[in-house]
Amino acid sequence: MSEGTAPASRYALSFTSGALLMREAVIVAPMYLREHDWSKVRAVIEQDNLLQARTVASGRRLAREVTQRLAVLTDGAIELLVDATATERGHLLWAAACRRYDLIGEFAEEVVRERFLLLTSTLTYEDYDSFVRSKALWHTELAEVKDSTRRRLRSNVFRMLKEAGLLSDRGHLLQAVLSRRVASALCTRSPSDLRFFPTNDHATGSAER
């Protein structure tokens, strides 16, 4: 880093469990649309253990995680999430994870999408590790992470990709075919959240609404 260059902002690295949190999102999204207050929603979730966590600590952690991810979506996207198909929900929650966590978003844009565009059909743990090593040059927090935590973070990113339908069990990248309404919801941001998906032209599917 050159003299006078501001240090890079630290990556948030709390995505150690839960993958896309699809089940949890279905429970939490309607609550937010009634209350429009994330702090109130989170308090109710924790108090009533609505996410059926095994311990108080895990319930608190899960409530924080799902509310923070959904909070990066627009109200329109959250409304869509409630009425979404499983495929649409996976796409919306992948975009939410990418928005919430810069490390995931940059991996999606700089590695996942780039490999797809270069017609490199597979994605491996080594691709992720190489990406993290390159980022560690500017983000010392990545070098400070324990090996066990680093493995959990990596595993969870790949679980998210699979749950979003973007990666096969054998590690092959799968083109994202977004429904028109999901593509429209994700285009409202600048830059567009469509950059997080492996696709050539951001084509939308006709089978879904």
Side-chain angles (χ1 to χ4, degrees):
M1 188 179 298
S2 62
E3 185 177 351
T5 301
S9 58
R10 292 177 65 86
Y11 284 127
L13 299 171
S14 59
F15 53 96
T16 53
S17 61
L20 285 186
L21 303 175
M22 295 177 73
R23 179 187 70 84
E24 293 80 2
V26 171
I27 295 171
V28 174
M31 296 176 60
Y32 170 75
L33 293 176
R34 289 194 300 269
E35 302 291 344
H36 289 280
D37 184 330
W38 283 116
S39 60
K40 183 180 296 185
V41 168
R42 179 174 165 182
V44 172
I45 293 170
E46 293 181 14
Q47 178 180 330
D48 298 339
N49 192 24
L50 296 180
L51 302 182
Q52 300 178 341
R54 294 181 179 180
T55 67
V56 172
S58 62
R60 186 177 297 116
R61 184 168 57 251
L62 196 56
R64 179 183 66 245
E65 187 65 23
V66 69
T67 53
Q68 287 182 344
R69 288 198 206 176
L70 292 186
V72 304
L73 296 175
T74 64
D75 283 7
I78 294 175
E79 290 175 2
L80 175 54
L81 187 66
V82 174
D83 184 46
T85 66
T87 298
E88 290 175 320
R89 189 170 294 127
H91 290 157
L92 288 167
L93 292 176
W94 170 249
C98 290
R99 273 280 178 181
R100 169 69 181 94
Y101 295 104
D102 288 341
L103 184 68
I104 299 178
E106 290 170 17
F107 179 66
E109 185 175 6
E110 298 173 19
V111 180
V112 176
R113 176 168 163 75
E114 187 66 18
R115 286 180 71 82
F116 182 84
L117 292 176
L118 292 174
L119 303 180
T120 305
S121 63
T122 58
L123 185 72
T124 67
Y125 275 5
E126 177 53 34
D127 296 321
Y128 177 87
D129 291 342
S130 177
F131 165 78
V132 170
R133 285 193 297 268
S134 70
K135 294 296 181 178
L137 297 174
W138 303 96
H139 293 267
T140 57
E141 67 273 18
L142 291 175
E144 296 165 357
V145 171
K146 295 179 180 178
D147 286 343
S148 58
T149 301
R150 186 178 297 110
R151 288 193 295 269
R152 287 201 303 273
L153 294 172
R154 181 183 62 188
S155 177
N156 226 26
V157 170
F158 277 71
R159 281 184 59 198
M160 291 180 192
L161 283 164
K162 291 175 181 178
E163 289 186 4
L166 305 178
L167 187 70
S168 75
D169 289 338
R170 294 191 175 187
H172 292 283
L173 289 171
L174 304 173
Q175 181 170 1
V177 180
L178 306 176
S179 70
R180 289 185 177 86
R181 57 183 189 169
V182 166
S184 177
L186 297 182
C187 277
T188 61
R189 302 280 192 150
S190 181
S192 168
D193 288 346
L194 297 181
R195 72 189 190 279
F196 299 134
F197 293 86
T199 180
N200 291 313
D201 53 8
H202 303 314
T204 58
S206 59
E208 298 181 28
R209 292 164 286 181

